[in-house]
Amino acid sequence: MKRRALSLSLALLLAAPAVAGAVEFTPQELARATALQKKLVTLDSHLDTPANFERADFDILAAHPGNLLSQVDYPRMVQGALDGGFWAVYTGQGDRSEKAHLDDRDDGLQRLSVIHQLLAAHPDTFEEATTPADAARIKAEGKRIVYISMENASPLVADPSLLSFYYKQGLRLMSTAHFLNNEFADSATDPKGPEWHGLSPAGKALVQQAQKLGIVIDQSHASDDVFDQLIAMSPVPILLSHSGARAVHDHPRNIDDARLKVLAAHGGVIQMNSYSGYLIDNGASPERKAAEGALMGKYGDWEHMKVADGAKLTADLKALDAKYPVRKATLDDFLAHFDHTLKLIGPEHVGIGMDWDGGGGVAGMEDVSDLPKITAWLLRKGYTEQQIADIWGGNVLRVMQQAQDWAASQAH
Amino acid sequence: MKRRALSLSLALLLAAPAVAGAVEFTPQELARATALQKKLVTLDSHLDTPANFERADFDILAAHPGNLLSQVDYPRMVQGALDGGFWAVYTGQGDRSEKAHLDDRDDGLQRLSVIHQLLAAHPDTFEEATTPADAARIKAEGKRIVYISMENASPLVADPSLLSFYYKQGLRLMSTAHFLNNEFADSATDPKGPEWHGLSPAGKALVQQAQKLGIVIDQSHASDDVFDQLIAMSPVPILLSHSGARAVHDHPRNIDDARLKVLAAHGGVIQMNSYSGYLIDNGASPERKAAEGALMGKYGDWEHMKVADGAKLTADLKALDAKYPVRKATLDDFLAHFDHTLKLIGPEHVGIGMDWDGGGGVAGMEDVSDLPKITAWLLRKGYTEQQIADIWGGNVLRVMQQAQDWAASQAH
């Protein structure tokens, strides 16, 4: 339960009052941005949307505006000119007992299955992609692109050899840890501090196994030591699927400038995150946190909430915001991280991974329908269409191609 | 590969010339039988149809008459008044090396996933059932019934604890072994003879684990020693999901009269099989077998054949039959097994499990569209509607209810 409570607590931040960021775009700028995105392959590298596939009343073909449980669906992907991305097999982790590891394993397989069920249910609208070339082909066929990723390798603790099954089922991007340390790696945010001082021996073996299969390693959520070890051991570039710049907001989930330069020198890419709690300090009071806890009790288990409950919870949180205000990150805050990172390592090493349906979203960009604001901003800043294409997908696909090419070379 | 070649070799028997059995029914008898089946819940306890879900060109909403790869699809289920049944996660097994066990594990999970993909793709036509009560409810909603079973526990050899995942995903019936001995149990047909003289220690543990979850144990394909041990150790009745009577044809895959009586005394049920090679001796010559082998080489891997190839193979086999005739079991042969068993242990202990899409089918009953012939025969023989209802589903659901009730009682 703890993991779910934590997820909820963070996601609640979404519900703060929607104060628009200072940045504004004209209808002309947004129209031009949308038109450009329609030409490009636009991918977000961290979509937590598969969590919604398990909600009985979720319909990906319907729009769910103003519901904190849903920021990604087909109508809003069309509106925001988002072609797809990496749809995550996310699992938390239990108490790291043997039973918890088996539950994590089952939860991961279940999440993987519901992604394939979504694909089976909507074959004319979504298609699974496993190679970089698939993205443009699927877009040309008028469908949305579904790469499969794993956030937190906890489903593999019980039996790391299950990675072969995930690979056969399409897994092409994988992170080691999430909020807390696990058997593979230290998290950036475990209150207990480092356990392995990076990757465990099992974690190193898992990374090597993944890279031999051509699976890209995702560093987001893992500790700095894990980053350093991944850079040292990886024959291919790594990805940060949803992270921010520590120079802009000093939070362990963000990455410092020195490491960003190492990442880029190693050919890697950071995909910019829009998770409010990592962009800024929201200044939540103890009273606010207690009130959030009480609200949680009312709605129960986050993972089994219905989408309809999400709408009610959204309303309840608006009332909470009136009583216990918190600062919510704005589009300006997101752009500050984006701008800093782009200037530091260049548009060949930066992309988009907003953590939609996983706690992402800022005032002024509440869901995927607003994504053309990113392109409008890039155009205003003078980035070329090629650079914008790289940011929206070219960079992450380049990293994937390198990972797959290296794996193929090893198989010979 | 060996396992696939073996499957193909047996399935080829399907393609023998369609000589009608001597038994014939009037249109009136068939109409009455069809009308009765529409009133009842009609279940087949062994559908290998999920193998077809992995064929790129298989469409369960289309009819595939005269194609040996497909005997079950929605139009023919409607025609034959079959409401559904147990859809099998079937896997063969490799060379029992560690790698083969991992491959079997992956194959099982994949087969389980495609069953759920079918359900997701056709939510208005098929629905998953997990309790006995689900069957009538789903039928009343105008949908076909999908219970999930496992034929051959080889996917669990690498890690028997995966059974918990299968259970969560709907598994409610499971056999231990298939054509060959495995780590859990001896097969009835392994040329090497007994290895464990029944269940292995791991097999006994697996059976106990399954029964604690309320999963029914399926004895079909396992050796007589396994039968005897299951009877001795099981607190609930067991099922033979697709088997015949050894008194009618002396084949190790069939069960002798003494054991049939024990099965019934223990509350169990035998579901009658229509697999030609177990109903009769088909008298295939060595030349015929060699010619089949050559034909196999032409079509390659059975599991990855397209449905379209199945149509071509069916035609090629007709040519083969002309050159190297084999005897194919007829509906009369099937009914001989059925009649014997009904007379021996009564209609409360007999049901239907034809092995469709797994090698089942006889001349005069080539696919599920012909199933009303079974009911017409039962009516002609004077069985009551209640007895026919038991045979078509009541018996297997009773066994499932007992298994689930016992599991629930143990959980308290």
Side-chain angles (χ1 to χ4, degrees):
Chain A
M1 299 307 293
K2 192 176 178 185
R3 54 185 170 162
R4 287 167 180 158
L6 185 55
S7 297
L8 178 55
S9 170
L10 291 157
L12 288 177
L13 300 176
L14 276 172
V19 178
V23 63
E24 295 284 352
F25 301 98
T26 65
Q28 291 75 17
E29 282 181 291
L30 291 174
R32 185 184 164 205
T34 304
L36 176 55
Q37 283 183 216
K38 285 183 182 168
K39 279 171 54 184
L40 310 178
V41 169
T42 55
L43 300 172
D44 182 298
S45 55
H46 191 67
L47 302 172
D48 265 320
T49 313
N52 283 336
F53 301 170
E54 299 193 35
R55 303 188 199 282
D57 61 342
F58 180 71
D59 177 4
I60 201 159
L61 299 187
H64 308 78
N67 186 322
L68 63 79
L69 285 183
S70 172
Q71 300 172 295
V72 181
D73 46 47
Y74 178 71
R76 287 183 290 174
M77 290 179 78
V78 172
Q79 201 182 339
L82 179 66
D83 290 321
F86 292 74
W87 303 65
V89 174
Y90 163 74
T91 54
Q93 61 202 34
D95 59 10
R96 297 176 61 184
S97 64
E98 190 180 349
K99 181 181 181 311
H101 294 146
L102 295 178
D103 286 343
D104 294 346
R105 178 199 64 191
D106 291 356
D107 289 349
L109 291 171
Q110 160 75 8
R111 191 60 55 89
L112 179 67
S113 180
V114 295
I115 295 173
H116 285 111
Q117 289 171 43
L118 177 104
L119 291 161
H122 306 292
D124 300 329
T125 314
F126 293 91
E127 185 173 329
E128 184 171 354
T130 57
T131 70
D134 285 340
R137 175 185 57 75
I138 292 169
K139 173 160 184 151
E141 290 168 3
K143 300 181 195 177
R144 304 285 142 174
I145 301 154
V146 178
Y147 288 104
I148 297 176
S149 62
M150 178 183 280
E151 180 180 35
N152 197 8
S154 58
L156 299 170
V157 169
D159 181 1
S161 81
L162 271 170
L163 186 61
S164 68
F165 176 68
Y166 279 93
Y167 176 77
K168 290 175 196 171
Q169 294 266 309
L171 185 73
R172 294 296 181 270
L173 172 66
M174 182 184 75
S175 75
T176 53
H178 191 238
F179 288 143
L180 300 173
N181 302 336
N182 65 20
E183 277 59 23
F184 294 125
D186 288 340
S187 167
T189 52
D190 194 314
K192 291 180 185 160
E195 176 176 336
W196 306 104
H197 297 279
L199 293 160
S200 71
K204 285 178 185 166
L206 184 73
V207 165
Q208 287 172 337
Q209 188 189 351
Q211 290 177 332
K212 273 188 192 161
L213 292 167
I215 294 170
V216 175
I217 299 298
D218 175 5
Q219 157 66 14
S220 288
H221 279 292
S223 74
D224 286 348
D225 286 342
V226 175
F227 176 92
D228 296 343
Q229 291 166 15
L230 285 176
I231 291 290
M233 74 183 282
S234 294
V236 290
I238 65 168
L239 192 78
L240 277 66
S241 73
H242 59 303
S243 289
R246 203 175 295 174
V248 179
H249 177 53
D250 187 10
H251 191 290
R253 262 292 274 116
N254 297 326
I255 180 171
D256 60 58
D257 284 359
R259 286 190 174 85
L260 276 171
K261 287 180 183 170
V262 169
L263 174 76
H266 194 255
V269 175
I270 175 173
Q271 310 276 108
M272 302 308 297
N273 180 40
S274 69
Y275 192 100
S276 188
Y278 303 152
L279 296 175
I280 60 162
D281 179 354
N282 75 342
S285 64
E287 293 77 14
R288 161 80 189 204
K289 287 175 184 166
E292 280 183 9
L295 199 54
M296 275 158 50
K298 180 178 162 190
Y299 285 94
D301 179 349
W302 174 264
E303 294 210 1
H304 293 94
M305 275 175 67
K306 291 194 173 173
V307 177
D309 294 328
K312 289 178 209 159
L313 178 57
T314 307
D316 284 352
L317 279 164
K318 281 196 180 145
L320 206 68
D321 288 334
K323 198 163 175 187
Y324 306 105
V326 290
R327 191 179 161 227
K328 180 175 178 178
T330 65
L331 182 52
D332 280 357
D333 294 319
F334 168 79
L335 293 172
H337 285 257
F338 197 31
D339 191 38
H340 173 83
T341 310
L342 282 165
K343 283 175 178 158
L344 188 74
I345 56 174
E348 298 79 19
H349 298 285
V350 181
I352 304 297
M354 305 287 272
D355 207 1
W356 298 120
D357 293 333
V362 291
M365 185 171 290
E366 305 282 351
D367 62 28
V368 294
S369 67
D370 273 336
L371 284 171
K373 290 180 181 175
I374 290 178
T375 300
W377 181 86
L378 288 166
L379 288 168
R380 191 187 279 182
K381 290 284 175 181
Y383 288 96
T384 67
E385 290 200 6
Q386 181 57 53
Q387 289 170 331
I388 295 171
D390 289 346
I391 290 166
W392 266 118
N395 294 333
V396 66
L397 295 180
R398 180 189 75 232
V399 168
M400 189 191 295
Q401 190 68 60
Q402 288 174 272
Q404 296 191 3
D405 287 348
W406 184 82
S409 76
Q410 298 301 300
H412 289 166
Chain B
M1 299 306 294
K2 193 177 178 184
R3 53 186 170 160
R4 286 164 181 160
L6 185 56
S7 296
L8 177 55
S9 170
L10 291 157
L12 289 178
L13 301 174
L14 277 173
V19 179
V23 63
E24 297 283 352
F25 302 98
T26 66
Q28 291 74 15
E29 282 181 290
L30 291 173
R32 184 184 164 206
T34 304
L36 176 55
Q37 282 184 216
K38 285 183 181 169
K39 279 172 52 185
L40 310 178
V41 170
T42 55
L43 301 172
D44 183 298
S45 55
H46 191 67
L47 301 172
D48 265 319
T49 313
N52 284 336
F53 301 171
E54 299 193 34
R55 303 187 199 283
D57 62 343
F58 179 72
D59 176 4
I60 200 160
L61 299 188
H64 309 78
N67 186 320
L68 63 80
L69 285 182
S70 173
Q71 300 172 294
V72 181
D73 46 46
Y74 179 70
R76 287 182 290 175
M77 289 179 79
V78 172
Q79 200 182 341
L82 179 66
D83 292 320
F86 291 75
W87 304 64
V89 174
Y90 162 74
T91 55
Q93 61 203 35
D95 59 10
R96 296 177 60 184
S97 63
E98 191 180 348
K99 182 181 182 309
H101 293 146
L102 295 178
D103 286 344
D104 294 345
R105 178 198 63 190
D106 292 357
D107 289 349
L109 290 171
Q110 160 76 9
R111 191 59 56 90
L112 179 67
S113 180
V114 296
I115 294 173
H116 285 111
Q117 290 170 44
L118 178 105
L119 290 161
H122 306 293
D124 300 328
T125 314
F126 293 92
E127 186 173 328
E128 184 171 354
T130 57
T131 70
D134 285 340
R137 176 184 57 75
I138 293 168
K139 173 160 184 152
E141 290 168 3
K143 301 179 195 177
R144 303 286 142 174
I145 301 154
V146 178
Y147 288 103
I148 297 176
S149 62
M150 178 183 281
E151 181 181 34
N152 197 8
S154 59
L156 298 171
V157 169
D159 180 2
S161 82
L162 271 171
L163 187 61
S164 69
F165 176 68
Y166 279 94
Y167 176 76
K168 290 176 197 171
Q169 295 266 310
L171 184 73
R172 293 296 181 271
L173 173 65
M174 181 183 77
S175 75
T176 53
H178 191 239
F179 289 143
L180 300 173
N181 302 336
N182 65 20
E183 276 59 22
F184 294 124
D186 288 340
S187 167
T189 52
D190 195 315
K192 292 181 185 160
E195 175 176 337
W196 306 104
H197 297 279
L199 292 160
S200 72
K204 285 178 187 166
L206 183 74
V207 165
Q208 287 172 337
Q209 189 190 350
Q211 290 177 333
K212 273 189 193 162
L213 291 167
I215 295 170
V216 174
I217 300 297
D218 175 5
Q219 158 65 14
S220 288
H221 279 291
S223 73
D224 286 348
D225 286 342
V226 175
F227 175 92
D228 296 343
Q229 291 168 14
L230 284 176
I231 291 291
M233 74 184 282
S234 294
V236 289
I238 65 169
L239 193 77
L240 276 65
S241 73
H242 59 304
S243 288
R246 202 175 295 172
V248 179
H249 177 53
D250 187 9
H251 190 290
R253 261 292 275 118
N254 297 326
I255 180 170
D256 60 57
D257 284 0
R259 286 191 174 84
L260 277 172
K261 287 180 185 171
V262 169
L263 174 75
H266 195 254
V269 175
I270 175 173
Q271 310 275 109
M272 303 308 297
N273 181 40
S274 70
Y275 192 101
S276 189
Y278 304 152
L279 296 175
I280 59 163
D281 179 354
N282 74 341
S285 65
E287 293 77 13
R288 161 80 189 205
K289 288 175 183 167
E292 280 182 9
L295 198 55
M296 274 159 49
K298 181 177 161 189
Y299 285 94
D301 179 348
W302 174 264
E303 294 210 1
H304 293 94
M305 276 177 66
K306 291 193 173 174
V307 177
D309 293 328
K312 290 178 209 158
L313 177 57
T314 306
D316 284 352
L317 279 164
K318 280 196 180 145
L320 205 68
D321 289 333
K323 198 165 175 186
Y324 306 106
V326 290
R327 189 177 164 230
K328 181 174 177 175
T330 65
L331 183 53
D332 281 355
D333 295 319
F334 168 78
L335 292 171
H337 285 257
F338 196 32
D339 191 38
H340 173 84
T341 310
L342 282 166
K343 283 175 178 157
L344 188 75
I345 56 174
E348 299 79 18
H349 298 284
V350 181
I352 304 298
M354 305 285 274
D355 207 2
W356 299 120
D357 293 332
V362 291
M365 186 172 289
E366 305 281 352
D367 62 28
V368 294
S369 67
D370 273 337
L371 285 171
K373 290 180 182 175
I374 290 178
T375 299
W377 181 87
L378 288 166
L379 287 168
R380 191 185 281 182
K381 290 283 175 181
Y383 287 96
T384 67
E385 290 199 7
Q386 182 57 53
Q387 289 170 330
I388 295 171
D390 289 345
I391 290 166
W392 266 118
N395 294 333
V396 66
L397 294 180
R398 180 190 74 230
V399 168
M400 189 190 296
Q401 189 68 60
Q402 288 175 271
Q404 295 191 2
D405 287 348
W406 183 82
S409 77
Q410 298 301 300
H412 291 164

